[in-house]
Amino acid sequence: MELVKSVGHPAELWALIKYKFLGGKNVVIPKVDYSTLSSGMKRCYQLLNQTSRSFSAVIQSLDDDLRPAVVIFYLVLRALDTVEDDMTIPLREKIPMLQQFHKYLQLAEWRYMDSQEKDKAVLEEFPFISGEFRALKPVFQDVISDITRQMGSGMCVFLEKEVDSMDQWDEYCHYVAGLVGIGLTKLFMASGLEKGMEQEEEEEAASRRQGSSNGDHNSSVVLGLSNSMGLFLQKTNIIRDYLEDSLQDREFWPKDAWGQFVSELKDFQQPERRREAVQCLNLLITNALGQLPDVLQYMSRIHNQSIFNFCAIPQTMAIATLALCYNNPEVFTGVVKIRKGVAVALIMGSTNMDNLKAIFAQFAEEIASKVDPSDPSSAETIAITRRVMDLCSDTHPYSGTKQSPLSPSPSSAASKVPLITGATALAAAMATYAYWSGYWTT
């Protein structure tokens, strides 16, 4: 079916074929040798595949002992999130669960059998997850437990109050996603795979201690950037999932945004309010794009290839999703998703910083091309998309300076993409050449 959808888009079709049948998937996302895993970890991988096939695939690209740590980190937070999402659990029971959830990691038999959520298996089979958690290195355990504690407490804040202001939107997204980014960064550095990032962080901290007298010298630049990585992904999900959340009586769009247009958030479902709905949509997308300068800075600090792929793929998927959602009334009538052919081309192209910049610049330009001058947030949208394109200008084909490594010539693209492996360079060149050739239209 996905091949049929991409028939009119030759580059997507070729990316799908190469990814599925010609070994492209195994180059970017190597297979895990399940025969070496404990029975508990095998079950954890099964739970991972059940709850998020896409994230499961990306996790498998990670190296060494970082991979199982991230698997357990994801499953613990998925279990926590399942408790938060389950509207059948009364608050008097839910709040203590969220606040104490990090302690359940040390209880071999703890499980929860009364959830009605689709991902309830992670709660029912939590002993598998907690058992593998306790088998991790202590440094990994400390990171996972601390982030779980912070996230559980933060979730409780918004169980009893609405997301009203844009600042509260940032705060909510910090608790449910920014902390994920911070935790992942700590795991990356604890694994030893990102010694360069850790050294840069130590040097910056030392510099701040020497030059600061305002008491802010202990703040972490890289963890702040990590937070923005999570905020960008979470805001994208919240924006895209308006209809699904609304139909389940869940509201995550900030009132300061939608209150400018309607008296109730659900009013955006009404056809006669579609113009106001799209204007609010554009406002929130513009806000989300404001995280991209931090995203680019964070990505430039990554040294390990597997970690780069792991971080880059969700970010390129997110900006592609926002480009599809921008000025798109279908967000209020159905599910808006990028085609699988586009997703596969992004997976195969998100392998180095030059490609990442080129992809970001292309989607920023696509959003800018859709801006209606009469839209209330049009000036802000143009400003942030222009800033993103400027930050990516060394690889953007319209900068008038360097030629993009994704230029409309397969051979020149392949020659300019940094050599990871021959197959990876070819895959990246193929997917991104198609991008600039104009095939990735929706």
Side-chain angles (χ1 to χ4, degrees), residues 310-370:
F310 172 80
C311 294
I313 290 169
Q315 299 294 329
T316 56
M317 296 285 189
I319 193 171
T321 298
L322 290 183
L324 185 58
C325 289
Y326 187 83
N327 222 27
N328 187 351
E330 292 182 10
V331 171
F332 304 94
T333 60
V335 178
V336 176
K337 292 178 64 175
I338 57 177
R339 289 188 302 275
K340 191 170 183 178
V342 175
V344 167
L346 286 172
I347 289 171
M348 298 180 73
S350 301
T351 54
N352 59 70
M353 199 63 200
D354 281 348
N355 286 13
L356 185 72
K357 286 183 176 181
I359 291 169
F360 275 23
Q362 174 69 14
F363 283 117
E365 186 170 43
E366 180 179 328
I367 291 170
S369 72
K370 297 179 181 180

Side-chain angles (χ1 to χ4, degrees), residues 171-332:
E171 183 185 4
Y172 173 76
C173 291
H174 163 74
Y175 285 131
V176 300
L179 284 171
V180 179
I182 291 170
L184 286 170
T185 296
K186 290 183 175 181
L187 291 177
F188 298 159
M189 292 191 289
S191 72
L193 295 174
E194 279 298 337
K195 292 181 179 178
M197 181 186 286
E198 187 174 14
Q199 182 177 352
E200 290 169 5
E201 176 70 3
E202 290 173 353
E203 290 172 354
E204 289 173 350
S207 177
R208 289 193 298 274
R209 284 193 293 270
Q210 291 176 1
S212 175
S213 61
N214 60 9
D216 193 34
H217 53 270
N218 290 321
S219 62
S220 168
V221 173
V222 73
L223 295 185
L225 300 176
S226 305
N227 185 63
S228 290
M229 294 277 287
L231 261 62
F232 185 59
L233 299 182
Q234 184 65 21
K235 288 180 178 182
T236 297
N237 290 340
I238 288 173
I239 291 166
R240 179 200 61 201
D241 294 342
Y242 163 82
L243 185 61
E244 177 184 342
D245 288 333
S246 184
L247 294 175
Q248 297 180 30
D249 293 323
R250 298 190 296 199
E251 296 187 357
F252 299 107
W253 284 25
K255 188 175 182 179
D256 274 5
W258 58 260
Q260 300 176 37
F261 305 98
V262 290
S263 58
E264 298 288 342
L265 181 56
K266 62 183 179 182
D267 292 346
F268 284 151
Q269 295 179 48
Q270 301 171 11
E272 63 271 20
R273 308 312 296 266
R274 203 52 40 82
R275 181 172 180 271
E276 293 92 339
V278 169
Q279 289 177 342
C280 184
L281 170 70
N282 294 344
L283 185 156
L284 292 180
I285 290 175
T286 300
N287 176 276
L289 293 173
Q291 313 296 151
L292 286 180
D294 281 359
V295 170
L296 285 163
Q297 189 177 348
Y298 181 89
M299 293 303 304
S300 71
R301 291 169 175 246
I302 296 176
H303 300 268
N304 177 273
Q305 184 63 54
S306 75
I307 292 174
F308 187 94
N309 294 354
F310 172 80
C311 294
I313 290 169
Q315 299 294 329
T316 56
M317 296 285 189
I319 193 171
T321 298
L322 290 183
L324 185 58
C325 289
Y326 187 83
N327 222 27
N328 187 351
E330 292 182 10
V331 171
F332 304 94

Side-chain angles (χ1 to χ4, degrees), residues 102-114:
H102 64 289
K103 296 182 179 180
Y104 301 153
L105 293 168
Q106 301 297 339
L107 303 180
E109 300 302 320
W110 187 89
R111 68 182 75 212
Y112 185 74
M113 302 300 294
D114 297 326

